[in-house]
Amino acid sequence: MGHWNVLLVSHVVAALFVLAIGPVQILRPRRDRVHRTMGYAWVSAIYYVCLSSFWIVSEGHFTWLHGLSAFTLITVTLGLSSAIRGNIPAHRGNMIGSYIGTAIAFGFAVGVPSRSIPELLSTDPAMGVFVAALVLLGVGIAYLSLFRGIREVPAVRSTTPRSQDEELADNRSG
């Protein structure tokens, strides 16, 4: 594996995790406990990807990808704080923008022949496919377990009328 090390491998796996979760989070119509739980996993993974990138340098120099990492740290933090404050349009914009930036960085990491991922894929394509399949399997299992948990715990409905504020608070929390 040459110059691959634990930091680089964990960075790549976390980035693949971020890329796999992103479309589901963006395209799922419901914003429920599954969205929130996987969103926290996504935020944790993107923070790791961005922070770990500062220890992955080519020939001792930072690149524009490190600038994108710094920018993404800011936009993800803004998106998270927007969700907590209930500003859903700002949350959506920051998170989708962060995902698009990550996808662009991934395209660059895979598309430039001198980078680590293309070198790995040219020397050991089975390893690349294996890692990607494991990440996708992990994401699939996480979603399925969360969906299964929702179906197994029936919601208890109250027979007393509720105000719009109570309904809104419940929608935000669960």
Side-chain angles (χ1 to χ4, degrees):
M1 237 163 107
H3 62 282
W4 285 79
N5 57 41
V6 173
L7 176 67
L8 188 56
V9 170
S10 64
H11 175 85
V12 169
V13 168
L16 289 172
F17 184 76
V18 164
L19 289 168
I21 291 175
V24 180
Q25 288 294 93
I26 293 167
L27 298 175
R28 264 191 81 228
R30 294 194 58 207
R31 303 301 189 228
D32 53 9
R33 182 177 61 88
V34 173
H35 178 83
R36 192 170 34 258
T37 302
M38 292 305 285
Y40 282 126
W42 187 88
V43 166
S44 299
I46 194 70
Y47 278 152
Y48 180 79
V49 169
C50 291
L51 292 171
S52 66
S53 75
F54 295 111
W55 283 268
I56 302 170
V57 293
S58 299
E59 301 170 15
H61 301 290
F62 287 126
T63 67
W64 66 271
L65 289 172
H66 295 96
L68 181 60
S69 288
F71 184 72
T72 301
L73 285 170
I74 294 167
T75 59
V76 168
T77 302
L78 289 172
L80 183 60
S81 66
S82 294
I84 291 168
R85 288 183 280 120
N87 185 349
I88 302 309
H91 167 70
R92 186 179 300 116
N94 279 299
M95 294 310 196
I96 290 173
S98 297
Y99 179 79
I100 290 170
T102 303
I104 290 169
F106 178 76
F108 179 76
V110 171
V112 175
S114 64
R115 299 200 43 99
S116 299
I117 294 174
E119 287 179 9
L120 171 69
L121 292 175
S122 68
T123 59
D124 192 1
M127 176 64 77
V129 170
F130 178 72
V131 169
L134 278 180
V135 170
L136 289 173
L137 179 65
V139 168
I141 289 169
Y143 272 111
L144 287 175
S145 67
L146 288 169
F147 285 128
R148 183 175 176 183
I150 286 174
R151 278 186 249 136
E152 289 182 358
V153 180
V156 178
R157 297 272 182 206
S158 173
T159 57
T160 57
R162 296 165 41 119
S163 71
Q164 283 185 330
D165 291 338
E166 289 172 325
E167 292 283 344
L168 183 60
D170 274 359
N171 286 341
R172 285 188 182 158
S173 66

